[in-house]
Amino acid sequence: DTAVSQTPKYLVTQMGNDKSIKCEQNLGHDTMYWYKQDSKKFLKIMFSYNNKELIINETVPNRFSPKSPDKAHLNLHINSLELGDSAVYFCASSPRDRGFYEQYFGPGTRLTVT
Amino acid sequence: AQSVTQLDSHVSVSEGTPVLLRCNYSSSYSPSLFWYVQHPNKGLQLLLKYTSAATLVKGINGFEAEFKKSETSFHLTKPSAHMSDAAEYFCVVSDLRLTGGGNKLTFGTGTQLKVEL
């Protein structure tokens, strides 16, 4: 069984479009995250939700809007896509939002904006 | 603020020889440290973690790392490299003191490990 899953795996779209990426975890974790990995493979946190509540928002443009319908799901909606949004987006989860817990990552969604 | 420096962006070894991937960290408080591996076009997999227990940490696939507070280092080692170890490796720090709002991981810039026959 896949622990953290993301859909779609690949997403190619044009500038100005709106798109969503979905994430689901079946680990029973309370906390979920979105990370962006740029072309140089640098990973940076974007958002974190704990039990559907936003707890980390790392100065991400407001074109990015995360939504957590329940604690097993964290979706990422992106409005007015720009070329610079091209990256791999990873979803992750951890048991709690505090403490020494590792995070479990999904397989990633490669977004290409043309 | 917490930060991680991976001293080598690329490391190349021969199969069967030891692996050393270097990592130094900066943290205001007692950190939790991790090594993650990313194989080509794959997600990130946890190799091992340090959480203030034993300073020598053993992970999966024969990897281990030693936490040295005096040197602020957490280098990753493996006695004998295998072709399947070729991947990108990330050293990661999580500062518990900063987690007033969330378990924030700070990633290093990664080390690409190449294993040659």
Side-chain angles (χ1 to χ4, degrees):
Chain A
D1 284 341
T2 303
V4 182
S5 59
Q6 296 178 228
T7 53
K9 190 171 175 63
Y10 299 97
L11 185 53
V12 181
T13 188
Q14 291 184 328
M15 284 175 55
N17 285 349
D18 303 338
K19 290 292 178 187
S20 292
I21 306 171
K22 295 186 176 182
C23 178
E24 176 181 2
Q25 55 95 4
N26 62 7
L27 297 167
H29 289 170
D30 285 347
T31 312
M32 296 184 73
Y33 311 80
W34 277 111
Y35 287 85
K36 180 180 180 180
Q37 185 175 43
D38 63 23
S39 58
K40 296 185 179 179
K41 297 197 174 178
F42 183 63
L43 273 144
K44 194 171 192 308
I45 190 167
M46 300 172 68
F47 300 103
S48 176
Y49 270 74
N50 186 62
N51 272 324
K52 303 191 296 177
E53 179 185 352
L54 179 66
I55 54 173
I56 293 176
N57 184 340
E58 285 289 299
T59 60
V60 177
N62 57 16
R63 297 183 296 104
F64 290 79
S65 52
K67 283 192 170 49
S68 182
D70 56 62
K71 74 174 192 178
H73 296 84
L74 180 61
N75 303 322
L76 184 64
H77 188 76
I78 315 170
N79 290 327
S80 303
L81 278 154
E82 300 177 357
L83 292 176
D85 298 333
S86 294
V88 181
Y89 292 85
F90 286 99
C91 178
S93 72
S94 65
R96 302 284 185 272
D97 70 323
R98 300 174 190 226
F100 296 122
Y101 295 107
E102 65 268 31
Q103 294 178 16
Y104 296 80
F105 285 79
T109 295
R110 183 174 295 276
L111 171 64
T112 303
V113 182
T114 60
Chain B
Q2 57 188 24
S3 66
V4 171
T5 301
Q6 291 185 244
L7 297 153
D8 306 296
S9 59
H10 294 83
V11 169
S12 184
V13 301
S14 299
E15 191 174 32
T17 64
V19 175
L20 170 64
L21 304 183
R22 298 183 293 166
C23 172
N24 286 97
Y25 70 90
S26 171
S27 177
S28 302
Y29 299 90
S30 295
S32 185
L33 292 156
F34 310 84
W35 276 98
Y36 281 84
V37 61
Q38 184 178 24
H39 287 93
N41 299 313
K42 300 286 187 186
L44 291 100
Q45 181 185 19
L46 179 71
L47 277 178
L48 50 81
K49 68 176 181 179
Y50 166 77
T51 57
S52 75
T55 56
L56 182 61
V57 181
K58 294 189 185 299
I60 61 171
N61 301 333
F63 284 95
E64 61 181 40
E66 186 171 8
F67 174 72
K68 292 186 176 181
K69 187 174 181 178
S70 60
E71 299 176 9
T72 60
S73 69
F74 190 58
H75 301 333
L76 182 70
T77 60
K78 183 173 180 178
S80 176
H82 191 272
M83 294 295 289
S84 61
D85 294 328
E88 188 87 20
Y89 290 80
F90 293 96
C91 183
V92 183
V93 63
S94 176
D95 192 327
L96 182 61
R97 179 60 179 85
L98 290 179
T99 55
N103 188 13
K104 181 179 170 181
L105 300 185
T106 299
F107 282 76
T109 49
T111 298
Q112 180 75 43
L113 176 65
K114 184 177 178 182
V115 182
E116 299 171 322
L117 285 171

